[in-house]
Amino acid sequence: MEVNPRKKIKGSELKMSEENGVIYRISGPVVTAVGISPRMYEVVRVGDEGLMGEVIELHGEQSVIQVYEETSGVRPGEPVIRTGQTLSVQLGPGLLTKIYDGIQRPLPELEKTMGVFIKRGVDADGLDLEKIWEFNATAKAGDSISSGDVLGTVQETKTIEHRVMVPPGTSGVIKSINSGEFNVTQTVCTLEDGTDIQMMQKWPVRTPRPFTKKHAPEVPLQTGQRILDFLFPLAKGGTAGIPGPFGSGKTVTQQQLAKWSDADIVVYIGCGERGNEMTEVLDEFPHLMDPKTGEALMNRTTMIANTSNMPVAAREASVYTGITIAEYFRDMGYDVALMADSTSRWAEAMREISSRLEEMPGEEGYPAYLSSRLAEFYERAGRVETLAGGDGSVSVIGAVSPPGGDISEPVSQGTLRIVKVFWGLDAGLARQRHFPAINWLNSYSLYPPSLDQWYRDNIKSDFPEIRTEISALLQVEAELQEIVQLVGSDALPVDQQLTLEVARMIREFFLQQNAFHDVDTYTDLKLQYTMAKAILSFQEESKKALAGGAALEDVVNVPARTDLMRGRFESGYEGKIDKMLETMIKQIAETMEDN
Amino acid sequence: MTGKEYRTITDVKGPLVFLNKTEPVAFGEIVELRLTDGTMKNGQVLDTSDDQVIVQVFEGTASIDKQTGIKFLGDVFKLPVSTDMIGRILDGAGRPRDGGPDIVADEMADIIGAAINPYSRQSPDTFIQTGISAIDACTSLVRGQKLPIFSASGLPHNDIALQIARQAKLVDSDDDFVVVFCAMGITAEEYNFFVHDLERTGALENACLFVNLADDPAVERLITPRLALTAAEYLAFEKDYHVLVIYTDMTNYCESLRQIGAAREEVPGRRGYPGYMYTDLAMLYERAGLVKGKKGSITQFPILTMPGDDITHPIPDLSGYITEGQIVISRELHQKGIYPPINVLPSLSRLMNAGIGDGKTREDHKSVSDQLYAAYAQGRELRGLVAIVGEDALNERDLQLLKFADIFENKFLRQSRDEDRSISEGTLDYAWELLSNIDTKYLVRLDQKWIDKYHPTDKKE
Ligand SMILES: Nc1ncnc2c1ncn2[C@@H]1O[C@H](COP(=O)(O)OP(=O)(O)OP(=O)(O)O)[C@@H](O)[C@H]1O
């Protein structure tokens, strides 16, 4: 198509220049401009209202822009202005407890300026630029410093100390540095060469932040969710994907991880999901106590909410905004957990933009670069040696929403090729109200070999063996079930009937966990181990009793077993379980005497 | 900006008109088309550039030729809103259909609707009693929820929607709902059924209808729900009403969406539906809820018919990913003559937990609901087994559960179209009575303390 840069446009007094161009075409969130030659990923202002956009393609004289705000009413001929900046986030004290949209505009600020509906043409800083923080210098004049070194600290929230770092690319010798009260744009440190350093730094979201090197993960991210921690663990710095059809429990699982995982910092991205789900988190987190610190969980949390009805281009950006914030805290030496719910909506945003660009589509209309974008995103996870020599990690857990629950589709497949943990949600289990509805037969984690030493040292020396026994029982059950389908369980020999009972106990007592129950919602690793051992003791003692002539019916129905299983809903269970187990063993032994 | 009429049409494809060389036209701008025979049509700009403008014509492109004149009206689509809309019947483009006067605008509202700031939302937690036991006990509805009915052709989803509209109320307040009803491509017969029922019960005076029927322009369906939701937002958030929006049939809406996509030669997503259908549907469904500082609310009941009864079809599938649960209508139950034929097993209300329990419905509600669900699920499963091995192979517990599945369907689910059961006596007490057909020792989901208090025979007086 011929492009005629429009020179005389009614209503537009702008002179065309390097910095100013005009709109040539508008198609939904994609706007084409002529008359400017910006850089890729540069932020531009679009139209009379100055809507925020980002250059995503350069094509002859045309610059193609994705616009982060609604474009209806915008006309060809309206101005497009370069800003010279790439899409960046503001990093510094004040990120925690915040809720942002996909381009780091704080939602409470937007509410103040535009009311309850999100309108357009409003900017808001990611950080509060006015707020005064107490800065404690830890570096001193004369120190020679470089990228990533910690200059001082700020108590950002009750539980999190913010470490103010030298921005990447800066180094030198400190001429002066002062403790005291500063806002994020005031200079706290000056170098000999005259460079001023402020608490706030900016970082382009599409570029990973630098680190010294990547380490293999060796420590589990403890989540308090039995099936996850015990059977399919995620390592700190690892990656996990949770695919599942609607209503199978992706959001509940992600929220459980945000609540209970033992990360220092949590970044929660609601990407193209429901508005009410974010409200739920906002309502709940300030009241939930961190089991480690006794303080509100909100203190360690940053949220990004770009719901399904908010502009798709900002949805595309939201994932990058989130991971950049996560990396920034990692660089301070923290363990960060990032949840993205749902990466499928992110991929769909890419698809929508790509189709407006009339790009050659790949599978199911997704752009051909879908899998490389997914890989690049998950690659930003990891446990690293930071520039300052510390140890930090970003763990990434991505929900996937496969159409019709069928994971043969491109987003699920692209994700599964990269992530090391697969928690497969199952519609059938959800329908049976078996929650979390994670299918134990097809889920997996590739981390156990690198984590087992940690379990032996920190939980119990035979932890890995117990896990293996439990998984094996579940496998055997699956095989036996096939036979039962054909002939009924009564036709099985009694030892196999016992195996079925034991497996049922694993499922109902151990794997099922009610996220909404005050006590059951969280189980620490030690107790998980004890519970697993209790199941194996039940098996062992029952075998003995059966060999001694007891009836299966009597063995499995000893009252103490029900007590043991129900006990997990009572607080203080870890103190009572040993006693309950003892009683159960005694009662099982007694079943022999009845005969 | 009104004035100039262009006669520069180059192409007409499906519902789309392509034209050249115009003034700078806004994205989303409203367009008037004057055909050579004088007929007027309306449309909206879908794509605009210096060289070419693409217009989607609501009434379809029949009889449009290159001589057709096109005028750009200078603004995006706005709906005149006012409380006078209550009691009125409007067409699919917002014009009076009842012979009454035009709506005198209190304000002109942009129909695309802005997203509610997630920070400004308020969590919905007020139980709505529908008087239908299956819903009230097992998939409880709360004010501000979006809960679609997944149905299929030939099933009585309309009766259920109407029964809900008639009976919906809060347990301890007389706040009435205003019903905004939006018809998209339904038959005149279905429409008459709705209108007669609303008239019969006097509900019409408290309702506002937007009607696009099967023989009305298909493309117009793309704006009809937006008009309805714009009216709903005005009533809820400007005028403090509690609004119940019923729209039917979402499947027809999605077909129109697919038609536009095909005409634009877009790369389709699954089964030919546009890749952006999720976002498009979210722009409708997410216009439900409560917001801080506003008294009103919007509760949505979208009805969709699943093509081929297939719940994995993109229309129910994408809807399910956005809405807060679903009520699934079962052909099997319908064929057994049970009304309302709601299959509670695949049905879900995600907001139920927030709306039930002590002080809201009743302390035992959650337990009872879990127990009903578990017992019915097992009973149904046993039916399959019995078909193979016969009843003799069942033990006592299984026999009781098997029998319970029938009792549940025939007594608990089944109720008449005018039967309005209260949550406490009508639904929960009744559930206890039916559950007492099962030995208490098998009712493992019921807490002992609720058995002591509510069980008709085993309770401690
Ligand atoms: N661990 C759990 N404990 C108890 N209930 C659960 C659990 N997980 C899920 N549920 C139930 O399942 C419902 C659906 O879960 P959730 O909203 O997480 O599904 P989802 O997979 O995120 O769906 P969507 O993709 O549509 O967002 C919840 O409302 C809750 O009732």
Side-chain angles (χ1 to χ4, degrees), chain B residues 370-389:
Chain B
D370 287 349
Q371 183 63 66
L372 286 172
Y373 188 96
Y376 179 56
Q378 291 172 39
R380 266 181 76 117
E381 213 165 284
L382 288 164
R383 280 185 191 156
L385 191 65
V386 166
I388 304 170
V389 297

Side-chain angles (χ1 to χ4, degrees), chain A residues 1-6 9-10 22-29 34 70-77 99 106-111 115-119 244-248 250-251 271-280 282-283 305-312 315 345 348 351-352 355-356 358-359 361-362 364-366 400-405 430-433 485-486 490 512 514 516 566, chain B residues 1 22-29 46-52 54 74-76 110 112-124 138 144-146 150 233 237 264 266-270 274-276 278-279 282-283 286-292 294 311-312 316-326 344-348 350-351 353 366 370 373 377 381 385 388 393 443-446:
Chain A
M1 212 182 282
E2 268 296 312
V3 183
N4 304 309
R6 198 179 266 263
I9 291 141
K10 256 200 252 145
V22 291
I23 296 174
Y24 163 72
R25 175 183 176 192
I26 303 128
S27 173
V34 290
E70 234 277 310
T71 52
S72 64
V74 177
R75 293 167 198 274
I99 178 162
L107 292 174
E109 294 303 313
L110 297 188
E111 185 190 78
V116 298
F117 290 101
I118 298 184
K119 309 205 178 85
F246 66 81
S248 58
K250 290 178 294 299
T251 305
C271 174
E273 289 284 299
R274 306 177 181 89
N276 276 332
E277 283 172 0
M278 299 313 294
T279 315
E280 214 177 277
L282 279 173
D283 283 351
N306 211 91
T307 56
S308 53
N309 55 342
M310 287 160 75
V312 285
R315 190 199 298 170
R345 307 305 166 213
E348 283 168 4
R351 173 167 73 183
E352 183 167 346
S355 91
R356 303 267 185 186
E358 286 153 25
E359 288 174 340
E364 292 193 18
Y366 286 103
V400 186
S401 317
R431 205 161 305 142
Q432 290 162 34
R433 297 290 195 265
Q485 293 301 316
L486 298 175
D490 284 352
Q512 282 192 20
N514 186 348
F516 303 108
R566 286 226 170 128
Chain B
M1 166 115 22
T22 58
E23 65 215 44
V25 173
F27 178 68
E29 189 165 340
L46 281 192
D47 195 320
T48 169
S49 74
D50 283 356
D51 305 311
Q52 190 186 47
I54 306 176
D75 204 351
V76 296
D110 184 346
I112 300 300
I116 298 176
N117 185 331
Y119 177 77
S120 311
R121 282 183 183 268
Q122 206 182 315
S123 291
C138 300
Q145 184 170 15
K146 39 190 181 292
F150 285 9
E233 276 170 359
F237 302 135
R264 293 187 71 181
E266 289 166 345
V267 182
R270 228 167 118 242
Y276 49 79
Y278 173 82
T279 305
M283 307 265 292
E286 279 287 325
R287 292 170 85 171
L290 310 174
V291 295
K292 285 186 210 152
K294 309 262 182 192
I311 199 167
T312 68
D317 188 54
L318 294 178
S319 296
Y321 274 118
I322 307 164
T323 55
E324 286 143 346
Q326 65 277 341
V344 300
L345 301 182
S347 300
L348 170 73
R350 290 163 195 266
L351 303 182
N353 287 339
K366 177 92 178 86
D370 287 349
Y373 188 96
E381 213 165 284
L385 191 65
I388 304 170
L443 298 175
V444 291
R445 307 261 172 160
L446 291 174

